[in-house]
Amino acid sequence: MGNFARKIIDAVQNSMLGSLLVRLLWPCGWLVWTVFDSLAPDVFDAAVVGSFLILLACGLFLIWLLGAVANRRPRSGRVLEGLQDPPDNGFAAWAELPAGGLRPPPLMRWLVTALGESPGHRRSWIGLITVLVALALAVSLAVAGSSFWQGVHPALGDPSTRLFLALACTGILAAFWIRDWASDQRKQLELPSANSA
């Protein structure tokens, strides 16, 4: 059973979609919720939010359960490996890479290589500043009142205009988070263990 759970974890890790979902879910989900709750509160009613939270809790429990079952699998290999402690909890099992490194589908490998920065490339300050400005602008468009934004520009007094601009800022943030995810995955692919598979 533990080996089967580990195979499921390896398949999700090799697809690379699980890490992308985790990377986007919290920051984008929080920001989209803040924007819609402030500028279009009728879009998400209590039933939709409650259903999403229940689904999220069930998903987190399933992720933890798979990891906990995978931690109980018999360890093969060197004698000392059997003396090593398994990961602390079910979530920690997901940080353990598949044996032989990641083996994504060719399309995903191409996408990660095309979008991600090369491992030796230094991160740009321009990217960090763009992320901070887009985040601050999206939050302020949602939180500051219509009277404040109408003083900046008459068109910004309309909540639908501010909703569009805040979602555009969220899209910019999502693009940077996707690039960051692709850069991290590219580093994982270029590890020596991944190339020896």
Side-chain angles (χ1 to χ4, degrees):
M1 190 70 172
N3 288 331
F4 180 67
R6 184 67 238 179
K7 286 180 181 178
I8 294 174
I9 292 173
D10 289 350
V12 172
Q13 287 176 325
N14 283 325
S15 75
M16 296 185 176
L17 294 176
S19 59
L20 176 61
L21 183 62
V22 169
R23 187 72 61 98
L24 289 178
L25 184 63
W26 166 245
C28 282
W30 169 80
L31 192 55
V32 167
W33 166 257
T34 302
V35 167
F36 274 104
D37 188 48
S38 300
L39 299 175
D42 296 334
V43 172
F44 296 126
D45 61 358
V48 172
V49 174
S51 301
F52 174 75
L53 291 177
I54 291 171
L55 186 63
L56 182 62
C58 291
L60 287 173
F61 175 73
L62 182 61
I63 289 169
W64 173 85
L65 183 63
L66 274 173
V69 171
N71 287 342
R72 301 292 177 240
R73 75 188 189 282
R75 309 268 174 165
S76 60
R78 296 177 291 122
V79 175
L80 292 177
E81 192 174 346
L83 300 176
Q84 292 176 351
D85 293 330
D88 296 334
N89 58 50
F91 293 116
W94 288 83
E96 181 184 333
L97 288 177
L102 292 173
R103 293 178 299 277
L107 177 62
M108 186 60 77
R109 181 180 291 271
W110 174 83
L111 191 63
V112 164
T113 304
L115 292 178
E117 296 176 344
S118 60
H121 191 267
R122 292 182 59 171
R123 304 247 169 146
S124 168
W125 281 99
I126 296 172
L128 177 63
I129 292 170
T130 304
V131 166
L132 292 177
V133 168
L135 180 61
L137 187 57
V139 172
S140 61
L141 282 166
V143 174
S146 294
S147 56
F148 169 79
W149 284 109
Q150 195 160 7
V152 175
H153 191 280
L156 294 176
D158 183 11
S160 62
T161 303
R162 294 201 317 274
L163 176 64
F164 174 76
L165 291 174
L167 290 178
C169 290
T170 305
I172 292 170
L173 288 170
F176 273 94
W177 284 319
I178 289 170
R179 180 168 169 79
D180 190 52
W181 160 82
S183 300
D184 289 344
Q185 297 304 311
R186 186 171 174 179
K187 284 179 190 173
Q188 294 288 347
L189 287 175
E190 295 185 10
L191 289 175
S193 60
N195 295 331
S196 65

